Amino acid sequence: MLGGLALTATAHAGSATSIFSPAGTPAQSIFSLSMLVLSVTAVIFLIVAGLLLYAILRYRHRPTDTDREPPQIYGSNQIELSWTVIPILIVVMLFLTTTRVILGTEHIPKPANALDVTVVGHQFWWEYSYPKYGVVTANELHVPVSDPASMTPTYLNMTSADTDHSFWVPRLAGKMDLIPNRINTMWIDPQQPGLYLGQCAQYCGTQHAKMLLRVYAETPAGFAAWIKHQQQSANEDFTGNPEAAAGKEVFMHNACINCHTVRGTVATGRFGPDLTHLASRDTIASGAFPNNAANLRQWVDDPNSMKPGSLMPSMHLNQHDLDLITAYLITLH
Amino acid sequence: MSPATRVMEAVDETQAVKRPAFEVIYDWVTTVDHKKIGIMYIVYALIFLVIGGVEAILMRIQLAVPNNHFVSPQVFNQLFTMHGTTMIFFMAMPILFGFGNYLVPLMIGARDMAFPRLNAFSFWVSAFGGFLLYFSYLGGSGLYAAGSAPDVGWFAYAPLTAKVFSPGHSTDYWTLAVLLSGIGSIGTALNTVTTILCMRCRGMKLTKMPLLPWLYLVMSGMVFIAVSPLTAAQIMLMLDRYVGSHFFDTQAGGSAVLWMHYFWIFGHPEVYILILPTFAFMNEIIPVFSRKAIFGYPAMVAASVGIGFISLGVWAHHMFAVGMGPAGNTFFVFATMVISVPTGIKIFNWLATIWGGKVIFSLPMMFAIGFLFQFLIAGLTGIMLSAAPFDWQLTGSYFVVAHFHYVIVGGIIFSLFAAFYYWYPKATGRMLNTTLGKWHFWLFLIGFHLTFDFMHIPGILGMPRRIYTYEASRGWGTWNFIIGVGAIFQAIAVIIFAYNLVRSYFKGDIAGHDPWDAWTLEWATPSPPPVYNFAHDPTVNSRRPLWDLKHPEEPDSDFE
């Protein structure tokens, strides 16, 4: 049964979020430990289940039996000692191996060239900031790939602004909770460029299900370019685009600015995601929808129609203002 | 004349006299008889089993296909909160206390529990908790809006339960319901410990006591130690919500991790509080239907006590992803792995009990065999989860949901069904129907494995628990569909079982006082037993008094 499970799961190792297709050091060492634990337990299962099955079939009551009661046996010290000592040995072996992986993940010195990212969990989105570069973004985490020869891991220093959350990108590492009043750290080192998916793994409220995670691993050059772009202030060039310019006015004169930051403007709210480079992201609403004009417009109009329980209120804008504000938002690339 | 024969002479006091319904109800409501209270616990737990089961089916329908809109996110969150709370506090705990209430005094040759009125109080206070939990559907905005049932999860992690994140009264209903259930549990535990320690019949030294009361003794001791912190935590949470204290209120500097410790220092021993009585059922059923004495009685007792102690030191294995650091993590890895040793001893001793016996495939034994295989798997996935790094991947995923349903459904529910088929004749005087029972067994077995076997896989493929929907592109759809089909199978099986319970009460075959040719004292009383159980206080010389009676040529007392 367990073997079957392992096989089925391995067959699906290609899944975008399978724990059996690791793409970074922590996930890889967890994977190796998992294989060991799975093999040990599978062997135990086969032996014990086999013995049980044998006993049930071999010692079933037969109509031909003359004696109703079999010989009564009350116990045996030797036998019982053996099935106490052997499991203890297995436990000690598993414990030592597990401890080695724990120390290898949680207790290694931090390389000098590691990148620090502060992760703050919110109901129901992720805030990422890069203190070294003065960059703040949301929902889509960009990190450099880490060459195994000279590791450049990313250290995620994580906390929560409201309820508990948990950061889980199965192909990169296990999960780590984000807890208010507490900073937890985990590190990741994706070794291939690409997009790694995951999602919040600790129940955090109504929209826990759609608090999705997207980690973009970039080549060193790609990452440097991304950072450089993110460091710039928001787009202010509305030449030939009067709608966007008017949309900016709508944005700045509504409650949007209480919650959102657009760097270089009067909008400096911290409650919702930073929108400075909103249009440069692939998705909105924490990975729940593709980032395009139609979705943005509906989102501003009535977030709860798309993601019930989202904390952003409907802005009650008229159709004209909605068009303008959408025109503005798509210029924030 | 041996003491046990004298016991069998007891007069049948349950003469069927037609009485007005009011009198019958009044009699049940005011009863302090341990058997009636036991039956009331069991009936109330069965009602909650059905309610919790319906909640489970609704969730499985919602998740059967990706992007489903069968229920809203909030309703889904209420469903898993109510399902978990109901099944743990208002199904599993009361039903196990019900069996304990019924069986412990009978098996130790006592006439009732030590404190019959406390017994009735514990029942009613706990039943009121269940009522209150479901009253929340009407409370608050419930009558006018979508309902205000709690939606904070059965674990109710801080700070989601704080007033600011959980306004309204739904969380208050949850807190009060759990608090009342805890008070009832502590009362019953106190009663059970006192009964077992003070009211055993003549000759029944602790070493000659059947294993069922032994396990209830350990379990009750654990209830004191584990449920008390939970009760304290509920009171602290109520203070936070009502008078503005800040134990768990993180916005004012309180600690979310503190709640986790309080909750799991209850929550993990709770698993063993639930599993020990089910071990107890196995210890009675497997020997009788293998026709052998239990193998290694002293080791079984020692293993139970060992599990009781160690289980109090493993709670933080629910918190491997909380950031305890390597020292904390390794300690809890060790404690958790070590507990598999006494648990393994139990499985091996059951195996040895079957070995060399003459196994009779009666319904109780069929469910017991199902239990053995499923509990083995539950234990092995438990070992996987105890390896903290593996747990960093699996915790909060569907793999964990699969694991603990193997424990709770594959272990506890299967052994409860075994116990029903085994002791129903004693409590009602009639046998349960075998044909219906076999339909129940096979449908439930198949449904169980369809549901919970396949539930491991979405966990491995990265599906977190407690999500109301998922994208089709994640590749979890097929698995969830199969899981849903299995859940329907289980529901049909439970309907057959319920029908069997009712039908057999009126039409079942007459059981007689000892239909299974068993060996413990309860089978020396008429079925159902009279109010005071035993006409004469029994005396025993061994762990199997009726064996000695039936086999005077080789009595147990010569070998123990």
Side-chain angles (χ1 to χ4, degrees), chain A residues 21-35:
Chain A
S21 55
T25 309
Q28 181 60 51
S29 56
I30 293 172
F31 176 69
S32 312
L33 176 70
S34 311
M35 285 298 125

Side-chain angles (χ1 to χ4, degrees), chain B residues 268-324:
Chain B
H268 202 83
E270 171 69 7
V271 176
Y272 292 93
I273 288 172
L274 298 180
I275 205 75
L276 285 176
T278 70
F279 287 170
F281 303 155
M282 291 300 111
N283 287 333
E284 302 304 320
I285 291 168
I286 291 174
V288 166
F289 295 104
S290 306
R291 307 307 305 162
K292 273 181 67 203
I294 190 84
F295 188 90
Y297 173 97
M300 289 301 241
V301 172
S304 311
V305 175
I307 289 172
F309 273 108
I310 304 170
S311 74
L312 298 169
V314 300
W315 75 91
H317 69 212
H318 293 264
M319 297 161 60
F320 283 144
V322 166
M324 283 186 294

Side-chain angles (χ1 to χ4, degrees), chain A residues 73-128:
Chain A
I73 297 156
Y74 297 90
S76 153
N77 286 341
Q78 290 87 343
I79 296 177
E80 289 176 61
L81 200 63
S82 73
W83 62 51
T84 310
V85 172
I86 296 171
I88 288 177
L89 294 178
I90 297 174
V91 160
V92 168
M93 184 273 289
L94 280 180
F95 170 69
L96 293 176
T97 323
T98 304
T99 308
R100 202 170 62 185
V101 179
I102 292 177
L103 295 179
T105 313
E106 288 200 309
H107 207 62
I108 56 162
K110 180 173 169 180
N113 59 349
L115 170 69
D116 273 294
V117 177
T118 304
V119 183
V120 184
H122 295 262
Q123 284 180 319
F124 302 96
W125 60 281
W126 305 92
E127 176 184 335
Y128 301 113

Side-chain angles (χ1 to χ4, degrees), chain B residues 180-422:
Chain B
L180 290 175
S181 145
I183 291 171
S185 303
I186 291 170
T188 308
L190 175 78
N191 216 339
T192 310
V193 169
T194 316
T195 307
I196 295 171
L197 292 183
C198 304
M199 299 185 68
R200 277 164 289 134
C201 67
R202 229 170 304 132
M204 191 180 278
K205 294 186 284 188
L206 279 177
T207 51
K208 295 218 181 291
M209 188 163 73
L211 281 170
L212 185 141
W214 250 118
L215 283 154
Y216 268 93
L217 181 63
V218 177
M219 174 260 210
S220 301
M222 289 169 66
V223 167
F224 290 137
I225 304 173
V227 177
S228 307
L230 177 73
T231 307
Q234 302 297 351
I235 293 170
M236 289 153 85
L237 178 57
M238 288 172 83
L239 288 174
D240 270 12
R241 290 182 58 88
Y242 277 104
V243 299
S245 60
H246 306 307
F247 294 107
F248 312 121
D249 176 5
T250 51
Q251 308 249 313
S255 168
V257 178
L258 179 65
W259 171 269
M260 293 184 202
H261 281 295
Y262 265 107
F263 187 80
W264 290 117
I265 211 163
F266 150 78
H268 202 83
E270 171 69 7
V271 176
Y272 292 93
I273 288 172
L274 298 180
I275 205 75
L276 285 176
T278 70
F279 287 170
F281 303 155
M282 291 300 111
N283 287 333
E284 302 304 320
I285 291 168
I286 291 174
V288 166
F289 295 104
S290 306
R291 307 307 305 162
K292 273 181 67 203
I294 190 84
F295 188 90
Y297 173 97
M300 289 301 241
V301 172
S304 311
V305 175
I307 289 172
F309 273 108
I310 304 170
S311 74
L312 298 169
V314 300
W315 75 91
H317 69 212
H318 293 264
M319 297 161 60
F320 283 144
V322 166
M324 283 186 294
N329 284 341
T330 24
F331 173 82
F332 286 101
V333 167
F334 187 70
T336 308
M337 285 184 174
V338 159
I339 207 167
S340 66
V341 175
T343 314
I345 290 174
K346 287 189 160 284
I347 290 186
F348 288 122
N349 279 10
W350 287 322
L351 173 63
T353 306
I354 294 171
W355 204 274
K358 291 191 190 305
V359 180
I360 299 164
F361 291 98
S362 62
L363 282 164
M365 190 60 175
M366 287 164 75
F367 278 100
I369 290 168
F371 168 92
L372 287 176
F373 283 99
Q374 285 144 201
F375 190 70
L376 175 64
I377 295 174
L380 293 173
T381 50
I383 291 176
M384 295 176 198
L385 289 166
S386 72
F390 202 4
D391 182 83
W392 293 334
Q393 288 282 18
L394 296 175
T395 185
S397 82
Y398 257 92
F399 190 94
V400 167
V401 184
H403 159 72
F404 75 73
H405 281 90
Y406 259 82
V407 178
I408 290 178
V409 182
I412 296 167
I413 298 285
F414 264 74
S415 88
L416 275 167
F417 284 143
F420 266 102
Y421 286 98
Y422 186 63

Side-chain angles (χ1 to χ4, degrees), chain A:
Chain A
M1 211 166 288
L2 292 170
L5 263 176
L7 282 179
T8 330
T10 317
H12 282 75
S15 159
T17 51
S18 170
I19 66 170
F20 285 165
S21 55
T25 309
Q28 181 60 51
S29 56
I30 293 172
F31 176 69
S32 312
L33 176 70
S34 311
M35 285 298 125
L36 172 79
V37 176
L38 276 171
S39 329
V40 171
T41 48
V43 169
I44 297 175
F45 175 77
L46 290 177
I47 294 172
V48 180
L51 287 173
L52 266 173
L53 202 62
Y54 173 80
I56 290 159
L57 297 176
R58 165 73 181 75
Y59 296 107
R60 68 183 184 278
H61 178 80
R62 294 179 172 85
T64 50
D65 283 350
T66 45
D67 265 359
R68 169 138 173 80
E69 314 285 17
Q72 301 295 306
I73 297 156
Y74 297 90
S76 153
N77 286 341
Q78 290 87 343
I79 296 177
E80 289 176 61
L81 200 63
S82 73
W83 62 51
T84 310
V85 172
I86 296 171
I88 288 177
L89 294 178
I90 297 174
V91 160
V92 168
M93 184 273 289
L94 280 180
F95 170 69
L96 293 176
T97 323
T98 304
T99 308
R100 202 170 62 185
V101 179
I102 292 177
L103 295 179
T105 313
E106 288 200 309
H107 207 62
I108 56 162
K110 180 173 169 180
N113 59 349
L115 170 69
D116 273 294
V117 177
T118 304
V119 183
V120 184
H122 295 262
Q123 284 180 319
F124 302 96
W125 60 281
W126 305 92
E127 176 184 335
Y128 301 113
S129 53
Y130 299 70
K132 191 170 146 195
Y133 300 109
V135 164
V136 179
T137 182
N139 294 328
E140 295 181 357
L141 174 64
H142 290 251
V143 298
V145 290
S146 176
D147 180 0
S150 62
M151 272 180 61
T152 48
T154 302
Y155 275 67
L156 306 173
N157 305 302
M158 311 198 288
T159 190
S160 164
D162 36 54
T163 61
D164 295 349
H165 304 277
S166 193
F167 187 96
W168 188 30
V169 181
R171 296 190 61 202
L172 296 184
K175 54 185 79 63
M176 179 62 91
D177 290 352
L178 295 86
I179 299 169
N181 298 344
R182 191 182 166 95
I183 293 168
N184 281 336
T185 299
M186 77 185 291
W187 58 277
I188 54 172
D189 62 337
Q191 281 151 13
Q192 292 296 325
L195 170 62
Y196 298 92
L197 299 177
Q199 69 190 83
C200 178
Q202 179 63 271
Y203 178 59
C204 54
T206 314
Q207 269 300 349
H208 165 58
K210 291 212 173 142
M211 190 166 163
L212 308 178
L213 275 157
R214 300 170 73 84
V215 177
Y216 295 76
E218 309 216 38
T219 58
F223 180 74
W226 181 82
I227 280 286
K228 196 157 185 282
H229 177 68
Q230 295 290 318
Q231 280 172 324
Q232 293 160 11
S233 286
N235 173 47
E236 288 288 347
D237 178 13
F238 303 119
T239 354
N241 193 350
E243 273 203 315
K248 184 184 173 192
E249 290 308 305
V250 177
F251 187 94
M252 298 304 162
H253 288 91
N254 271 288
C256 314
I257 57 171
N258 294 342
C259 296
H260 295 286
T261 294
V262 179
R263 237 174 314 125
T265 72
V266 295
T268 52
R270 295 292 309 277
F271 195 73
D274 186 304
L275 301 181
T276 310
H277 295 282
L278 173 67
S280 72
R281 299 176 199 154
D282 292 337
T283 60
I284 59 167
S286 198
F289 302 96
N291 187 6
N292 57 41
N295 280 339
L296 276 174
R297 190 180 188 283
Q298 196 192 338
W299 182 262
V300 177
D301 186 25
D302 187 5
N304 271 268
S305 71
M306 299 175 80
K307 208 170 153 180
S310 156
L311 297 191
M312 173 162 160
S314 162
M315 295 316 292
H316 298 294
L317 296 175
N318 61 41
Q319 298 299 319
H320 180 62
D321 283 354
L322 276 173
D323 288 335
L324 296 180
I325 213 163
T326 312
Y328 170 58
L329 290 176
I330 59 175
T331 65
L332 296 173
H333 43 70

Side-chain angles (χ1 to χ4, degrees), chain B residues 361-509:
Chain B
F361 291 98
S362 62
L363 282 164
M365 190 60 175
M366 287 164 75
F367 278 100
I369 290 168
F371 168 92
L372 287 176
F373 283 99
Q374 285 144 201
F375 190 70
L376 175 64
I377 295 174
L380 293 173
T381 50
I383 291 176
M384 295 176 198
L385 289 166
S386 72
F390 202 4
D391 182 83
W392 293 334
Q393 288 282 18
L394 296 175
T395 185
S397 82
Y398 257 92
F399 190 94
V400 167
V401 184
H403 159 72
F404 75 73
H405 281 90
Y406 259 82
V407 178
I408 290 178
V409 182
I412 296 167
I413 298 285
F414 264 74
S415 88
L416 275 167
F417 284 143
F420 266 102
Y421 286 98
Y422 186 63
W423 279 295
Y424 184 90
K426 176 50 58 188
T428 63
R430 292 184 185 264
M431 306 295 287
L432 281 165
N433 182 288
T434 310
T435 314
L436 288 173
K438 284 192 172 157
W439 275 100
H440 169 209
F441 174 77
W442 288 109
L443 280 174
F444 200 81
L445 188 82
I446 294 166
F448 169 82
H449 284 283
L450 278 180
T451 300
F452 299 112
D453 250 9
F454 287 103
M455 205 178 263
H456 291 97
I457 298 168
I460 284 168
L461 298 181
M463 178 170 175
R465 59 198 290 201
R466 303 179 184 122
I467 56 171
Y468 69 88
T469 194
Y470 51 91
E471 293 297 319
S473 59
R474 290 297 174 91
W476 304 331
T478 319
W479 306 113
N480 280 289
F481 188 79
I482 300 172
I483 292 167
V485 172
I488 306 277
F489 269 66
Q490 291 178 76
I492 297 170
V494 170
I495 292 169
I496 294 174
F497 171 65
Y499 172 68
N500 198 359
L501 284 184
V502 176
R503 184 187 173 277
S504 300
Y505 184 75
F506 299 103
K507 291 191 190 157
D509 297 339

